[in-house]
Amino acid sequence: MRKDIAIFVMSTFRNKLEDKNKSLIEYSDKNGDFNEICEHTNEAALKYIFWKLNQDNKNLSDAFCFLTDEAQNDFLRFKDLFVKYNFNINAVPLYNNGDMVGSFKSICEMFDVLQRYISENEEVVIHIDITGGPRHSVMLMLALIQMIKFSGAKIGLVIYANVLRKKNQLVMQKGMIEDVGDIMDMFTLTSGAEEFVSIGNVSQIQKYFESKERISWCLNCLLDCMEDFSETIRICGSYDSMIEVLTRLSNSIKNYDNFLKANKDSLCEQELFFAKLLPKIKIEYMDIMPDDKKSATPIQIIRWCAKRKFLQQAVVFYTEWLPDYLIKSKLVEVTKKEIIDECEKAKMEWSSWPIHLFRNYVPAKEKSILQQEEVIKITSDKLTYEDLQKLLKSNLSASNILIKVKNKNEKFEEFIRNVIKFEKKTSWSNFSGRIEALDEDNPIKVILKKSAPNNISFKDYLDKRIEALKTASVLILTALKNAGRALSCDLFDLECMDKKENNAEEKGQNRIKAFKQLLKSNSLKTKIPENDLLEFIGQYSEYVNQWRNTFSHAVSKDSDKEKNISITKAILNSIALIDVKQ
């Protein structure tokens, strides 16, 4: 059910009751359709709102006024002006007799009253008279309007009863009812532009213009491009999609600038007002807009996001974009094709070989040393998650892993035996079908489903992975390696040594060792100073392991401001290491 409510700040009467004829003013609207003789400015505005609603077959349900101590004496007299009207007028005190100090308490009380209506009705439309009250009452009403919008109610008419200058002393004084909603909406447009600059959200600007009939086709195109950018950055789109949307946005802004110069005399006031806000938007987005048809680099976009506190976007772009950027820009160049081929085969289906190179690739010599160390260190009486990871990273066969874990974990031993049996009965052609036929709670199926991305069918994922990794056991054990601590411990009741805090740093040091070996063997060339590249490699590995899962899967316990600031600084310092001018 719809409810229409009016709110206003009540003024005092200009004359005593016995002299009311001296206060009479004849009010009309700009079209001359409304005509009413009133003795009070709020009376004129309220009667206009009532009349206007009746024109659309709607009714005013209630009216609420802010009331100062001084106006309290006139309240009953004011209500008497509406004895023939079928709505109630209720008062909310304007504390401290209207002084600024009491405004917050007054606004809160009025908002509480309105909230009861909003919560009890499907649709509430609140109409506002900004005519009366102390000089600062307009500021009070502006604050209340913003709270009303935030609550979900609609703002209807915003009215000002303007008393016109009397030209002829022999005729009754005139007044004009003015709809000032457009002026109030300019605050929405300004805050919308600020919101787009601050957080890339264009919804407020769109909401403002959706009710305007006279905006140009060129502005519509610009708003569409702003929305595309807003959506792309919100979902952490790919670098190519980001460049595409930034190019369109840049072109739309340039086109709109030219359009404004040619058509400014024919555009509506609201559009011209928005045009005044556009230079600020251009300045804030200048660092990532195409420059002389040259697109912004991933480093520029990541830096821009980090500085504007788009922290999730900065982290995701940092982890996903930089390996491909370093290879494509030839800041880092792999000189041996076999390394590229190995990374191509080992990468995840939805990833890229440069990402595998930076995160996981270990040169053969280094890999052999690491595997020996890992096998030697598996001495626990009970299998731990850390031991499991060392076994899986060692590339041992399922049969050899079974030997290493004998009498250390019955569930895991049974799992490895089932993997071996499954492989003997499986070929490439029937692999996906046999997996699909397993019970949903079968650990093999659970692990493979955990490893499958959302953007590909489970069958297609299995078919492509078995083709890449050749054998069922390698595929399953690789999936288990990437399944994560929680699932592994849940499936096999593993002991956890809880070395999580040190893991990221240790992985970073291992990546540095791997890249030192690649540089030493001339398998890798770089235009970045080697020490800076190695420092970046260590940081990249460490940060990916620390941050990416936290941000992508909403499991962060570190929501404090200091933590976010430290991540921002870390990102800015890290990308500075590889920001080499070419």
Side-chain angles (χ1 to χ4, degrees):
M1 180 178 177
R2 170 168 166 150
K3 287 275 187 178
D4 287 88
I5 299 167
I7 57 175
F8 60 98
V9 182
M10 185 181 149
S11 296
T12 57
F13 282 87
R14 291 194 296 170
N15 292 295
K16 295 180 180 179
L17 183 60
E18 55 269 21
D19 298 324
K20 68 177 184 178
N21 289 336
K22 297 179 182 179
S23 303
L24 295 179
I25 299 172
E26 185 179 359
Y27 288 92
S28 64
D29 62 356
K30 66 178 181 179
N31 297 321
D33 297 326
F34 171 81
N35 287 282
E36 191 81 32
I37 295 174
C38 303
E39 60 177 295
H40 194 286
T41 51
N42 292 127
E43 174 196 1
L46 202 54
K47 286 183 176 178
Y48 176 80
I49 292 170
F50 180 86
W51 172 82
K52 188 70 174 176
L53 288 171
N54 270 256
Q55 300 303 300
D56 297 326
N57 296 316
K58 296 180 178 66
N59 291 304
L60 186 63
S61 302
D62 288 282
F64 295 92
C65 69
F66 286 112
L67 204 60
T68 62
D69 293 341
E70 185 181 4
Q72 179 72 49
N73 299 323
D74 289 336
F75 183 54
L76 292 178
R77 178 182 169 185
F78 183 82
K79 289 181 69 173
D80 286 342
L81 298 173
F82 295 89
V83 290
K84 295 181 181 180
Y85 291 76
N86 60 345
F87 62 86
N88 296 316
I89 303 174
N90 309 283
V92 171
L94 195 57
Y95 291 100
N96 290 356
N97 206 30
D99 290 345
M100 291 291 287
V101 177
S103 295
F104 282 108
K105 187 177 180 182
S106 303
I107 292 170
C108 289
E109 284 206 16
M110 180 68 82
F111 185 70
D112 287 342
V113 170
L114 299 177
Q115 272 292 92
R116 287 197 288 274
Y117 278 84
I118 293 168
S119 62
E120 292 170 3
N121 298 278
E122 292 181 7
E123 183 181 7
V124 176
V125 182
I126 299 175
H127 309 276
I128 298 167
D129 165 28
I130 64 167
T131 309
R135 291 182 179 182
H136 73 275
S137 61
V138 173
M139 297 299 296
L140 182 149
M141 297 300 272
L142 282 174
L144 187 57
I145 286 171
Q146 296 307 311
M147 292 181 72
I148 291 168
K149 287 180 177 179
F150 183 76
S151 72
K154 293 180 181 178
I155 299 295
L157 299 166
V158 184
I159 299 302
Y160 180 74
N162 188 16
V163 179
L164 304 178
R165 199 174 282 179
K166 195 171 183 180
K167 296 179 180 179
N168 189 339
Q169 298 296 323
L170 300 177
V171 298
M172 184 178 292
Q173 191 163 1
K174 303 290 184 180
M176 179 64 67
I177 301 296
E178 299 179 1
D179 187 339
V180 295
D182 277 349
I183 296 174
M184 296 294 136
D185 281 349
M186 285 182 178
F187 290 94
T188 301
L189 184 55
T190 304
S191 62
E194 183 179 359
E195 190 174 72
F196 183 72
V197 165
S198 300
I199 60 173
N201 189 351
V202 74
S203 59
Q204 273 207 70
I205 299 176
Q206 287 177 315
K207 190 173 183 180
Y208 173 81
F209 278 117
E210 69 184 5
S211 60
K212 312 302 177 191
E213 297 177 358
R214 291 187 55 217
I215 69 166
S216 67
W217 64 269
C218 199
L219 178 55
N220 269 318
C221 290
L222 175 57
L223 293 179
D224 286 344
C225 288
M226 291 169 72
E227 182 182 22
D228 288 345
F229 172 80
S230 177
E231 187 70 15
T232 302
I233 198 165
R234 184 179 66 82
I235 64 173
C236 299
S238 68
Y239 174 67
D240 288 341
S241 65
M242 184 65 70
I243 290 304
E244 182 183 343
V245 78
L246 282 170
T247 300
R248 291 204 307 270
L249 179 59
S250 176
N251 291 337
S252 290
I253 290 174
K254 289 174 184 175
N255 290 340
Y256 191 64
D257 277 341
N258 295 330
F259 178 83
L260 278 173
K261 291 173 185 176
N263 299 277
K264 62 181 180 181
D265 294 334
S266 61
L267 298 178
C268 67
E269 293 177 353
Q270 294 87 352
E271 187 164 341
L272 290 172
F273 182 77
F274 172 75
K276 303 296 182 186
L277 306 176
L278 201 54
K280 176 64 173 175
I281 293 175
K282 288 193 289 186
I283 290 170
E284 292 296 325
Y285 281 73
M286 181 173 59
D287 290 344
I288 56 173
M289 291 292 189
D291 183 18
D292 294 329
K293 296 185 179 180
K294 186 178 179 181
S295 300
T297 66
I299 289 175
Q300 289 172 316
I301 296 175
I302 293 166
R303 182 183 289 119
W304 185 86
C305 289
K307 287 182 176 179
R308 280 157 183 79
K309 300 179 182 178
F310 293 2
L311 196 53
Q312 180 175 357
Q313 285 77 6
V315 168
V316 172
F317 297 160
Y318 175 91
T319 58
E320 298 297 330
W321 291 0
L322 291 181
D324 285 328
Y325 165 68
L326 290 172
I327 295 297
K328 287 178 181 177
S329 64
K330 296 188 177 180
L331 289 172
V332 174
E333 190 173 358
V334 180
T335 61
K336 294 184 178 179
K337 187 177 182 301
E338 56 266 31
I339 294 177
I340 298 174
D341 292 341
E342 192 174 341
C343 289
E344 190 68 56
K345 290 178 181 178
K347 73 177 179 66
M348 302 299 279
E349 187 64 36
W350 56 93
S351 186
S352 66
W353 74 260
I355 287 179
H356 181 80
L357 172 72
F358 278 78
R359 294 189 193 176
N360 302 305
Y361 179 76
V362 178
K365 182 179 177 181
E366 198 73 24
K367 190 183 296 182
S368 175
I369 295 170
L370 289 172
Q371 287 173 5
Q372 290 174 23
E373 290 176 353
E374 287 170 351
V375 172
I376 291 169
K377 290 180 181 178
I378 298 174
T379 57
S380 309
D381 291 333
K382 292 184 178 180
L383 188 67
T384 67
Y385 174 74
E386 290 72 22
D387 289 337
L388 173 64
Q389 283 295 305
K390 289 171 184 176
L391 285 168
L392 296 173
K393 289 175 183 178
S394 70
N395 293 327
L396 289 170
S397 67
S399 298
N400 286 333
I401 288 177
L402 185 60
I403 294 169
K404 297 294 180 184
V405 298
K406 187 176 181 180
N407 298 326
K408 294 181 184 292
N409 185 299
E410 288 184 11
K411 283 189 175 182
F412 186 65
E413 285 184 64
E414 183 183 359
F415 169 77
I416 293 295
R417 290 191 192 98
N418 288 334
V419 169
I420 295 169
K421 289 178 185 177
F422 185 83
E423 183 171 65
K424 289 178 180 178
K425 298 178 181 179
T426 305
S427 64
W428 283 21
S429 59
N430 69 357
F431 176 74
S432 60
R434 288 186 58 80
I435 292 293
E436 292 277 17
L438 295 174
D439 293 338
E440 289 299 316
D441 61 351
N442 186 296
I444 293 175
K445 192 170 184 178
V446 170
I447 290 164
L448 289 173
K449 281 206 165 185
K450 170 73 173 178
S451 69
N454 296 324
N455 59 350
I456 185 173
S457 73
F458 187 46
K459 181 181 183 305
D460 287 345
Y461 163 73
L462 294 173
D463 289 340
K464 289 182 179 181
R465 292 300 285 160
I466 193 66
E467 183 179 353
L469 296 180
K470 311 302 181 187
T471 59
S473 61
V474 172
L475 196 163
I476 296 165
L477 294 177
T478 300
L480 177 58
K481 180 175 67 176
N482 298 314
R485 178 185 295 261
L487 180 61
S488 299
C489 291
D490 184 53
L491 287 174
F492 307 121
D493 295 333
L494 298 174
E495 297 285 328
C496 290
M497 296 170 65
D498 199 23
K499 289 185 179 179
K500 195 172 182 180
E501 290 185 7
N502 297 325
N503 279 347
E505 187 175 346
E506 289 174 2
K507 288 178 180 178
Q509 291 302 314
N510 286 336
R511 299 311 302 144
I512 290 174
K513 289 178 184 177
F515 268 71
K516 276 184 177 178
Q517 177 66 26
L518 288 169
L519 289 166
K520 186 178 180 181
S521 64
N522 292 320
S523 301
L524 212 65
K525 291 183 178 179
T526 179
K527 296 176 183 178
I528 301 168
E530 286 193 9
N531 288 338
D532 288 346
L533 176 62
L534 292 173
E535 186 177 351
F536 168 77
I537 293 298
Q539 290 176 357
Y540 177 78
S541 177
E542 185 178 338
Y543 297 161
V544 167
N545 286 288
Q546 281 183 345
W547 300 338
R548 180 60 202 275
N549 286 341
T550 295
F551 277 86
S552 296
H553 302 297
V555 296
S556 175
K557 297 179 182 178
D558 301 309
S559 58
D560 60 282
K561 184 177 179 181
E562 288 185 6
K563 180 71 174 180
N564 291 342
I565 290 172
S566 69
I567 292 175
T568 300
K569 287 181 178 178
I571 289 175
L572 293 174
N573 291 337
S574 185
I575 60 177
L577 292 167
I578 57 171
D579 192 11
V580 177
K581 292 183 179 180
Q582 298 190 72

Short mmCIF file of all heavy atoms in Angstrom, two decimals, residues 52-72:
data_model
loop_
_atom_site.label_atom_id
_atom_site.label_comp_id
_atom_site.label_asym_id
_atom_site.label_seq_id
_atom_site.Cartn_x
_atom_site.Cartn_y
_atom_site.Cartn_z
N LYS A 52 -1.98 18.71 -5.68
CA LYS A 52 -1.20 18.04 -6.72
C LYS A 52 -1.42 16.53 -6.66
O LYS A 52 -1.56 15.86 -7.71
CB LYS A 52 0.27 18.38 -6.56
CG LYS A 52 1.17 17.89 -7.69
CD LYS A 52 0.93 18.66 -8.97
CE LYS A 52 1.92 18.28 -10.04
NZ LYS A 52 1.63 18.96 -11.33
N LEU A 53 -1.44 15.97 -5.46
CA LEU A 53 -1.67 14.53 -5.31
C LEU A 53 -3.06 14.15 -5.79
O LEU A 53 -3.26 13.11 -6.43
CB LEU A 53 -1.48 14.10 -3.86
CG LEU A 53 -0.03 14.07 -3.35
CD1 LEU A 53 0.01 13.85 -1.85
CD2 LEU A 53 0.77 12.98 -4.06
N ASN A 54 -4.05 15.03 -5.49
CA ASN A 54 -5.42 14.75 -5.93
C ASN A 54 -5.55 14.74 -7.44
O ASN A 54 -6.38 14.02 -8.00
CB ASN A 54 -6.39 15.77 -5.33
CG ASN A 54 -6.93 15.32 -3.98
OD1 ASN A 54 -8.07 14.88 -3.86
ND2 ASN A 54 -6.09 15.42 -2.94
N GLN A 55 -4.72 15.54 -8.12
CA GLN A 55 -4.74 15.55 -9.57
C GLN A 55 -4.36 14.18 -10.14
O GLN A 55 -4.79 13.81 -11.23
CB GLN A 55 -3.76 16.60 -10.12
CG GLN A 55 -4.05 18.02 -9.68
CD GLN A 55 -5.47 18.47 -10.06
OE1 GLN A 55 -5.82 18.49 -11.23
NE2 GLN A 55 -6.26 18.82 -9.06
N ASP A 56 -3.57 13.44 -9.38
CA ASP A 56 -3.14 12.11 -9.80
C ASP A 56 -3.89 11.00 -9.07
O ASP A 56 -3.42 9.86 -8.97
CB ASP A 56 -1.63 11.95 -9.56
CG ASP A 56 -0.80 12.91 -10.38
OD1 ASP A 56 -1.21 13.21 -11.52
OD2 ASP A 56 0.24 13.37 -9.88
N ASN A 57 -5.05 11.36 -8.48
CA ASN A 57 -5.89 10.40 -7.75
C ASN A 57 -5.16 9.76 -6.57
O ASN A 57 -5.30 8.58 -6.28
CB ASN A 57 -6.40 9.31 -8.70
CG ASN A 57 -7.33 9.85 -9.77
OD1 ASN A 57 -8.21 10.67 -9.49
ND2 ASN A 57 -7.11 9.43 -11.01
N LYS A 58 -4.36 10.57 -5.90
CA LYS A 58 -3.65 10.11 -4.70
C LYS A 58 -4.03 11.02 -3.54
O LYS A 58 -4.53 12.14 -3.74
CB LYS A 58 -2.14 10.11 -4.92
CG LYS A 58 -1.68 9.14 -6.00
CD LYS A 58 -0.18 9.19 -6.18
CE LYS A 58 0.30 8.18 -7.21
NZ LYS A 58 -0.18 8.48 -8.55
N ASN A 59 -3.77 10.56 -2.32
CA ASN A 59 -4.15 11.32 -1.13
C ASN A 59 -2.96 11.52 -0.20
O ASN A 59 -2.10 10.65 -0.11
CB ASN A 59 -5.26 10.59 -0.36
CG ASN A 59 -6.58 10.58 -1.11
OD1 ASN A 59 -7.10 11.63 -1.49
ND2 ASN A 59 -7.11 9.38 -1.36
N LEU A 60 -2.96 12.64 0.45
CA LEU A 60 -1.94 12.90 1.48
C LEU A 60 -2.41 12.23 2.77
O LEU A 60 -3.50 12.52 3.28
CB LEU A 60 -1.78 14.41 1.68
CG LEU A 60 -0.65 14.84 2.60
CD1 LEU A 60 0.70 14.42 2.04
CD2 LEU A 60 -0.69 16.36 2.81
N SER A 61 -1.59 11.32 3.29
CA SER A 61 -1.99 10.56 4.48
C SER A 61 -1.75 11.34 5.77
O SER A 61 -2.61 11.40 6.65
CB SER A 61 -1.21 9.24 4.54
OG SER A 61 -1.43 8.49 3.38
N ASP A 62 -0.57 11.92 5.89
CA ASP A 62 -0.20 12.64 7.11
C ASP A 62 0.80 13.73 6.77
O ASP A 62 1.50 13.66 5.75
CB ASP A 62 0.44 11.69 8.13
CG ASP A 62 -0.58 10.74 8.75
OD1 ASP A 62 -1.32 11.19 9.65
OD2 ASP A 62 -0.63 9.58 8.32
N ALA A 63 0.89 14.69 7.65
CA ALA A 63 1.92 15.73 7.54
C ALA A 63 2.61 15.86 8.90
O ALA A 63 1.97 15.73 9.95
CB ALA A 63 1.30 17.06 7.14
N PHE A 64 3.91 16.08 8.86
CA PHE A 64 4.71 16.24 10.07
C PHE A 64 5.51 17.52 9.97
O PHE A 64 6.12 17.79 8.92
CB PHE A 64 5.66 15.05 10.25
CG PHE A 64 4.95 13.76 10.49
CD1 PHE A 64 4.63 12.92 9.42
CD2 PHE A 64 4.60 13.36 11.77
CE1 PHE A 64 3.97 11.73 9.62
CE2 PHE A 64 3.94 12.16 11.98
CZ PHE A 64 3.62 11.34 10.90
N CYS A 65 5.52 18.28 11.04
CA CYS A 65 6.28 19.53 11.01
C CYS A 65 7.27 19.59 12.16
O CYS A 65 7.03 19.07 13.25
CB CYS A 65 5.34 20.74 11.06
SG CYS A 65 4.49 20.95 12.64
N PHE A 66 8.43 20.19 11.88
CA PHE A 66 9.35 20.58 12.95
C PHE A 66 8.79 21.83 13.60
O PHE A 66 8.39 22.78 12.90
CB PHE A 66 10.74 20.89 12.38
CG PHE A 66 11.52 19.68 11.96
CD1 PHE A 66 11.79 19.44 10.62
CD2 PHE A 66 12.00 18.79 12.91
CE1 PHE A 66 12.54 18.34 10.24
CE2 PHE A 66 12.75 17.68 12.54
CZ PHE A 66 13.01 17.46 11.20
N LEU A 67 8.78 21.86 14.92
CA LEU A 67 8.13 22.96 15.62
C LEU A 67 9.07 23.56 16.66
O LEU A 67 9.52 22.87 17.58
CB LEU A 67 6.86 22.43 16.31
CG LEU A 67 5.75 23.40 16.61
CD1 LEU A 67 5.23 24.06 15.34
CD2 LEU A 67 4.61 22.69 17.33
N THR A 68 9.40 24.86 16.50
CA THR A 68 10.20 25.56 17.52
C THR A 68 9.31 25.94 18.69
O THR A 68 8.06 25.90 18.60
CB THR A 68 10.81 26.83 16.93
OG1 THR A 68 9.76 27.71 16.53
CG2 THR A 68 11.70 26.52 15.73
N ASP A 69 9.92 26.34 19.81
CA ASP A 69 9.13 26.79 20.97
C ASP A 69 8.26 27.97 20.60
O ASP A 69 7.10 28.08 21.03
CB ASP A 69 10.07 27.18 22.11
CG ASP A 69 10.82 25.98 22.66
OD1 ASP A 69 10.37 24.84 22.42
OD2 ASP A 69 11.86 26.18 23.31
N GLU A 70 8.80 28.86 19.77
CA GLU A 70 8.07 30.06 19.37
C GLU A 70 6.86 29.71 18.50
O GLU A 70 5.76 30.25 18.67
CB GLU A 70 9.00 31.00 18.60
CG GLU A 70 8.38 32.34 18.25
CD GLU A 70 9.33 33.23 17.47
OE1 GLU A 70 10.45 32.77 17.14
OE2 GLU A 70 8.95 34.37 17.18
N ALA A 71 7.05 28.76 17.59
CA ALA A 71 5.95 28.38 16.69
C ALA A 71 4.91 27.51 17.38
O ALA A 71 3.79 27.36 16.89
CB ALA A 71 6.51 27.64 15.48
N GLN A 72 5.27 26.96 18.55
CA GLN A 72 4.35 26.10 19.29
C GLN A 72 3.03 26.82 19.59
O GLN A 72 1.95 26.25 19.54
CB GLN A 72 5.02 25.65 20.61
CG GLN A 72 4.15 24.78 21.50
CD GLN A 72 3.98 23.38 20.92
OE1 GLN A 72 4.95 22.75 20.54
NE2 GLN A 72 2.74 22.92 20.85
#
